Amino acid sequence: MELGEGLPLVVRHMGRVDYEPTWQAMRAFTDARTADTPDELWVLEHPPVFTLGQAGKPEHLLRETGIPLVKIDRGGQITYHGPGQIVVYLLLDLHRRHLKVRELVNLMEQSIIDCLADYGLTAERKDGAPGVYIGGAKIAALGLRVRNGCSYHGLALNVDADLAPFTAINPCGYEGLQTIRMKDFGITDGVAEVGDRLVAHLRRLLPVPQNEPTVSPTPDATPAPDRP
């Protein structure tokens, strides 16, 4: 049996998709949810983009790079998404799973830590700075929005991404914060393989929902650009 097998959770492998329509699709999915809507994980990459959280400070973008900046509704400051970075968006009914926001953040961090441990890498949390770190350098970022008890946005893990764009920002608002990737440690698996491991750990760690309807998931279904 695979890790997490049997959890009533729809996993959508979406490939490389533009950031802004995906964000709008997450919002639309969350707004349209009912008590019978299954939870979903969206697994994907984005073309190069900077995103700035709702309370983010524009001065954390240090110079113009030609990479678009999108102001969004998650918490946190500025971060970068691009090819070679696995992104997982968690569209969950927190009440159904009896999860508090802090518990979900811890769970997301633990899934990344466990995934990296599969590759022999020792990662850790940092007090007051959500995300996952190796030797003080950031390898994964987190960001969430919760509306009506349901989460969206999620996590991003650097697999073999180009790290140069991170030098144009104060990552997550921290001046001089070094960012790293799995490739720096000799890991040769790409985003697809790492994504499968990461999703398996998320499914293993997520609490079993209460009163979730029985559904037939379509693991590789891709939502249309304007709605899931």
Side-chain angles (χ1 to χ4, degrees):
M1 180 179 291
E2 295 180 354
L3 288 174
E5 185 177 338
L7 283 184
L9 186 68
V10 177
V11 179
R12 300 189 183 272
H13 295 276
M14 298 170 63
R16 188 173 299 173
V17 290
D18 288 339
Y19 184 86
E20 195 152 6
T22 307
W23 169 42
Q24 296 299 343
M26 284 191 288
R27 290 165 55 92
F29 177 91
T30 302
D31 287 344
R33 290 192 71 134
T34 71
D36 296 324
T37 304
D39 290 341
E40 299 196 0
L41 302 180
W42 294 2
V43 186
L44 52 96
E45 294 176 87
H46 288 304
V49 64
F50 294 120
T51 65
L52 186 66
Q54 58 184 354
K57 298 178 180 180
E59 57 264 34
H60 289 307
L61 177 62
L62 305 177
R63 63 177 183 272
E64 180 57 47
T65 63
I67 296 173
L69 173 68
V70 182
K71 297 180 180 179
I72 60 172
D73 58 350
R74 61 160 171 78
Q77 293 287 331
I78 194 168
T79 195
Y80 167 75
H81 297 303
Q85 180 190 76
I86 189 69
V87 176
V88 182
Y89 292 134
L90 292 88
L91 292 89
L92 307 176
D93 183 329
L94 301 188
H95 295 318
R96 183 189 292 158
R97 292 181 182 267
H98 300 289
L99 272 174
K100 299 184 184 301
V101 175
R102 183 67 247 178
E103 293 171 338
L104 177 56
V105 169
N106 285 340
L107 184 154
M108 292 161 64
E109 291 171 337
Q110 191 62 50
S111 70
I112 298 166
I113 290 169
D114 291 349
C115 178
L116 293 171
D118 289 345
Y119 292 96
L121 302 178
T122 301
E124 60 189 4
R125 299 176 175 87
K126 183 182 289 188
D127 288 342
V132 174
Y133 301 79
I134 297 178
K138 194 163 193 173
I139 196 167
L142 310 180
L144 283 173
R145 176 69 186 266
V146 176
R147 183 186 296 175
N148 298 323
C150 296
S151 67
Y152 58 103
H153 294 293
L155 59 86
L157 172 62
N158 298 328
V159 179
D160 58 1
D162 178 9
L163 299 180
F166 285 103
T167 67
I169 62 175
N170 290 326
C172 303
Y174 292 96
E175 184 177 356
L177 177 63
Q178 181 186 2
T179 55
I180 54 175
R181 56 191 176 175
M182 296 175 67
K183 184 179 178 180
D184 297 334
F185 299 91
I187 306 304
T188 58
D189 276 4
V191 292
E193 294 85 359
V194 174
D196 286 345
R197 286 184 178 270
L198 183 55
V199 166
H201 285 295
L202 282 166
R203 296 181 68 180
R204 175 177 58 85
L205 292 169
L206 280 168
V208 176
Q210 302 298 313
N211 302 319
E212 176 121 8
T214 300
V215 296
S216 298
T218 53
D220 293 309
T222 300
D226 60 339
R227 59 171 295 179

